[in-house]
Amino acid sequence: MGGIAWRTVGALVVAGQVLLWAPGCMGPECGPGTREADGLCVPMSYTGSDGGIHCGENTVLLGTECVPSEEICGPNTTVESELDDAGVPTGGFVCVGQAVDEGEPPPPCPEEFGPAGEICINGYAHWLMDDNEAVFMANLLGDPDAAEDATHLVVKVYDPLLYAQDPENTVPLGWAEVNPRWGTFRVLNVSVPGTGFVALALDDLDEDQANIYTMTGVPYVAVANQHLEYVAAFGITNDQVTAWTEAVGGAAMLESIGCPEPAGGGPRTMATCGTWIGVYVDSEPIESINPVEGTLPFEPGGIIPEAKTFYPGIDGAGNLVFDDPTPGVVWSDEEGPHEWSGQLGAVFYPTSSMGNMTGECAPQTPCEEAGCIFMEFLGGSVPEAFFVQFMLPATCQGG
């Protein structure tokens, strides 16, 4: 699989000048915090017993005027009073969009390579699921307001086959800290394994200090003397693992599908079982992710058993939910749950073993309508980790 270079977070947001009043023949209908005055909706205010101006709901005093609070205009906008041709405030207002800081790109890779073809890998750390904004896979794992020394994440590069055989003793091929503000990273002098595959894994920088994240890997094809640039790694927190485990039926369900008891004790979770997350897309993600709804996930023995597949969606409260029958949450139709990928194009498969993964279109689904035929990729998972993998098509009319 090639490099990923999308950056949907931090795109320029321009709300334009949106008038929040609109005179009409019958007079305007004024919203909360406003009142009608001469055919216009103006911010509500009154003069109090102290002689001062008091502003109504959702408005704040700015000079001698009540103007809407930022909550009315929304994020990344500022409030400006509307002026007439003479420069006199009309009592109306506009919300003016502001550019959002797009952050910094990852440190560049050098032009040269190592003596044995060692490469550089740079890119961005993403949330697999950003709970704050209800966004799947796209948002960067960084805080622009964080201090430069607030680093708490590390990206490690592994030979995925060696790691699958012996996760405890496999030494990383390289590692680097993740910039806490922009979610960027760069790993230098990586020796490319003979298999031609590497896996980027996000984890806590120091688990003894703060054990926040679960080991999460993503695979890439690597070639000596050819840098991997602007690729993505994905982060999952332990709190998310707990919530998702409960959402699919908890420890009892995981035991029923063959998840072993954790070697170190404690409850079974999606992480302790090892979970493969296949994301079926109609083309290689470059600027965005284009998921394919309606894919039946296959492993070497055939269709993955229904009891072991969990299809995610985002509910109205912004939570990641699985196999939810609510129309529009996981599947676009009203007949779910189904045993194929939903609108996020993804499947969670706990207890998966390593093997050639692929997928086929279920009948009468968007996948079949697009004529998608998926390639095989070596995938799977190991205990105590998630493995996120984009499943690319050989052909698909959507891509």
Side-chain angles (χ1 to χ4, degrees):
M1 186 172 72
I4 298 171
W6 79 87
R7 291 191 65 205
T8 59
V9 172
L12 184 65
V13 177
V14 180
Q17 296 192 344
V18 182
L19 290 176
L20 297 188
W21 56 267
C25 294
M26 300 300 294
E29 294 183 8
C30 297
T34 65
R35 61 181 175 81
E36 183 180 352
D38 298 327
L40 302 178
C41 291
V42 299
M44 190 178 297
S45 65
Y46 65 93
T47 303
S49 59
D50 58 1
I53 298 175
H54 294 250
C55 296
E57 179 186 6
N58 295 325
T59 63
V60 294
L61 184 64
L62 182 62
T64 60
E65 296 180 71
C66 289
V67 300
S69 64
E70 295 294 337
E71 285 72 19
I72 286 183
C73 278
N76 307 317
T77 60
T78 58
V79 180
E80 291 187 6
S81 296
E82 190 196 31
L83 306 179
D84 62 17
D85 293 340
V88 178
T90 65
F93 54 85
V94 293
C95 296
V96 180
Q98 302 296 308
V100 176
D101 190 345
E102 292 190 355
E104 298 179 358
C109 284
E111 294 184 2
E112 66 276 5
F113 303 92
E118 292 88 351
I119 66 172
C120 159
I121 303 175
N122 72 5
Y124 300 90
H126 292 249
W127 286 107
L128 183 75
M129 174 67 186
D130 186 342
D131 293 328
N132 291 326
E133 298 187 8
V135 174
F136 190 66
M137 301 192 83
N139 280 8
L140 296 182
L141 209 167
D143 179 1
D145 296 325
E148 289 288 356
D149 60 355
T151 301
H152 60 289
L153 267 175
V154 63
V155 59
K156 298 177 182 179
V157 183
Y158 286 99
D159 179 330
L161 296 183
L162 288 181
Y163 187 86
Q165 295 168 7
D166 188 2
E168 290 292 328
N169 298 307
T170 300
V171 177
L173 302 170
W175 67 276
E177 295 179 359
V178 175
N179 185 298
R181 299 185 66 190
W182 313 119
T184 56
F185 61 84
R186 180 184 65 178
V187 186
L188 297 170
N189 300 317
V190 175
S191 297
V192 177
T195 58
F197 292 98
V198 296
L200 306 187
L202 273 185
D203 202 358
D204 294 285
L205 178 63
D206 185 351
E207 291 188 0
D208 293 333
Q209 183 177 6
N211 188 9
I212 299 173
Y213 296 90
T214 292
M215 175 76 82
T216 304
V218 58
Y220 290 96
V221 172
V223 178
N225 295 306
Q226 184 175 317
H227 297 317
L228 274 174
E229 299 181 274
Y230 303 104
V231 297
F234 295 98
I236 299 172
T237 69
N238 292 325
D239 287 344
Q240 289 176 321
V241 173
T242 299
W244 300 347
T245 298
E246 289 303 311
V248 301
M253 187 285 303
L254 293 175
E255 182 179 7
S256 73
I257 63 173
C259 173
E261 186 176 354
R268 292 172 173 85
T269 69
M270 279 186 161
T272 66
C273 296
T275 294
W276 179 71
I277 303 175
V279 184
Y280 292 87
V281 291
D282 66 16
S283 58
E284 184 174 1
I286 300 297
E287 296 297 333
S288 63
I289 302 170
N290 300 312
V292 175
E293 180 179 358
T295 306
L296 291 162
F298 275 65
E299 60 183 348
I303 298 176
I304 299 172
E306 293 182 4
K308 297 183 178 183
T309 55
F310 302 93
Y311 300 97
I314 301 174
D315 68 11
N319 300 310
L320 198 69
V321 294
F322 299 87
D323 300 332
D324 193 307
T326 306
V329 171
V330 178
W331 294 278
S332 59
D333 63 30
E334 299 180 0
E335 299 178 2
H338 298 297
E339 290 304 327
W340 55 71
S341 64
Q343 296 181 79
L344 297 182
V347 59
F348 283 54
Y349 175 15
T351 73
S352 63
S353 56
M354 296 295 291
N356 287 332
M357 301 293 193
T358 185
E360 293 185 5
C361 294
Q364 299 180 338
T365 63
C367 179
E368 185 181 62
E369 292 172 4
C372 298
I373 299 175
F374 291 93
M375 297 184 285
E376 287 190 351
F377 293 95
L378 180 63
S381 65
V382 296
E384 305 294 340
F386 285 83
F387 197 69
V388 181
Q389 189 163 22
F390 285 104
M391 300 301 292
L392 305 179
T395 181
C396 195
Q397 293 177 10

